[in-house]
Amino acid sequence: MSRIEDVFKNLGGKKAFIPFITCGYPDMEGFKQLAFKLAENGADIIEIGLPFSDPLADGPMIQKTSKIALKAGVNTDIMLKAVAGLEETGIPLVVMSYFNPIYRYGVGRFLGECTKAGIKGLIIPDLPLEEACAYRDLFNDYGLDNIMMVSLTTSRKRMALISRIATGFVYCVSVRGVTGSKTGLLDELKSFLGQVKSEFRIPAALGFGLSSVDQINQIKGFADGIIIGSKILSIIDQEPELDQGLDRVAEFCRAVRKSL
């Protein structure tokens, strides 16, 4: 059992809280402070985004933070060094990266450096299923979980194929978001998560569109974990001073943790 799967196993009936932050946002020191603040206030796993110039799967807030980090010079080597400094949090760290930076860096080299940095898993949203199959043994060799995505539009047949190679947890994408006023959508998400649970042996975590405790309360019973990114980054973005933003993030995380 991987370190990530072990986290879910030891939650004692609770749901996993998986916050996302962008490496280098608002700057490198602020990024490190934010990571430790998340760890101190209930995060079970921290997802870290490697800034990319064309983040097609990300919303406006994450795109904004990526541009800021890239402008400041954050690259793959800087990200790996920064993440290595976060092992003291004691929280499993997962990196989300598009495939292009990994390919340019060298897939084997990248996976090896991730292992050295203490990273436990990777999320590569634009990695085709066929390519993921080809790299399965390489992920296993380096002891990294290959966390794959499924969405409302993923067929049961494709889910079955993904379930053969995905490890750690399966990332369930709610591309249309979750709102309390859209009962039909909630019903669709519940059905979707039920399908995922029937196809996968590993935990299922829901991300995209979750920004409030009310939303989490409506859907948490159908997933093993909740992923929140844009909301946390927007809190930092809205505050003129980093300390104020960190205090608000801590308050939000405590509320989420209590809900889960």
Side-chain angles (χ1 to χ4, degrees):
M1 181 175 293
S2 72
R3 176 73 175 89
I4 291 172
E5 290 181 56
D6 198 45
V7 167
F8 285 91
K9 180 182 178 181
N10 293 317
L11 284 172
K14 298 185 294 183
K15 307 297 182 177
F17 173 34
I18 308 172
F20 169 94
I21 54 177
T22 301
C23 184
Y25 179 81
D27 53 36
M28 289 308 301
E29 181 57 32
F31 160 72
K32 294 175 184 177
Q33 290 185 46
L34 180 54
F36 277 93
K37 187 67 68 174
L38 296 172
E40 292 165 2
N41 288 277
D44 296 297
I45 297 167
I46 298 176
E47 181 186 347
I48 297 167
L50 172 63
F52 184 54
S53 58
D54 193 22
L56 296 177
D58 296 317
M61 188 69 245
I62 295 176
Q63 289 185 27
K64 178 179 179 179
T65 62
S66 287
K67 289 180 180 178
I68 290 171
L70 287 171
K71 188 175 181 179
V74 176
N75 58 26
T76 303
D77 283 320
I78 290 173
M79 182 278 293
L80 290 165
K81 183 177 180 180
V83 172
L86 300 179
E87 279 198 280
E88 293 179 17
T89 63
I91 304 296
L93 305 173
V94 170
V95 165
M96 197 286 280
S97 172
Y98 292 88
F99 188 58
N100 184 267
I102 298 173
Y103 182 78
R104 291 175 58 191
Y105 197 82
V107 177
R109 178 189 173 205
F110 182 80
L111 298 184
E113 292 300 321
C114 282
T115 301
K116 292 177 184 177
I119 295 164
K120 304 303 181 185
L122 292 175
I123 303 168
I124 310 174
D126 61 341
L127 181 65
L129 177 58
E130 296 72 22
E131 293 291 326
C133 289
Y135 290 120
R136 176 173 53 183
D137 290 342
L138 200 56
F139 271 83
N140 291 336
D141 289 344
Y142 285 104
L144 290 165
D145 278 323
N146 181 15
I147 299 163
M148 299 193 67
M149 292 180 159
V150 295
S151 73
L152 290 163
T153 60
T154 304
S155 69
R156 291 294 290 267
K157 180 179 180 181
R158 192 165 182 83
M159 280 190 195
L161 293 172
I162 293 171
S163 71
R164 297 175 186 175
I165 58 173
T167 57
F169 66 87
V170 56
Y171 193 130
C172 303
V173 179
S174 171
V175 292
R176 283 165 284 187
V178 181
T179 62
S181 61
K182 296 184 180 179
T183 306
L185 179 56
L186 280 172
D187 290 342
E188 187 179 11
L189 279 170
K190 292 174 184 177
S191 175
F192 162 58
L193 289 169
Q195 292 177 14
V196 172
K197 297 281 282 182
S198 69
E199 292 288 348
F200 288 81
R201 304 182 311 277
I202 55 177
L206 181 70
F208 281 58
L210 293 172
S211 61
S212 72
V213 172
D214 286 343
Q215 291 172 334
I216 293 168
N217 284 336
Q218 292 181 68
I219 203 66
K220 66 183 181 182
F222 302 90
D224 301 302
I226 297 295
I227 303 165
I228 301 177
S230 295
K231 175 63 177 180
I232 291 169
L233 295 171
S234 68
I235 291 173
I236 298 296
D237 181 62
Q238 291 165 7
E239 292 294 339
E241 300 293 335
L242 177 60
D243 286 346
Q244 294 174 353
L246 292 173
D247 288 342
R248 282 191 58 203
V249 165
E251 182 180 7
F252 175 72
C253 288
R254 288 193 295 270
V256 171
R257 177 70 275 163
K258 183 178 181 181
S259 169
L260 296 175

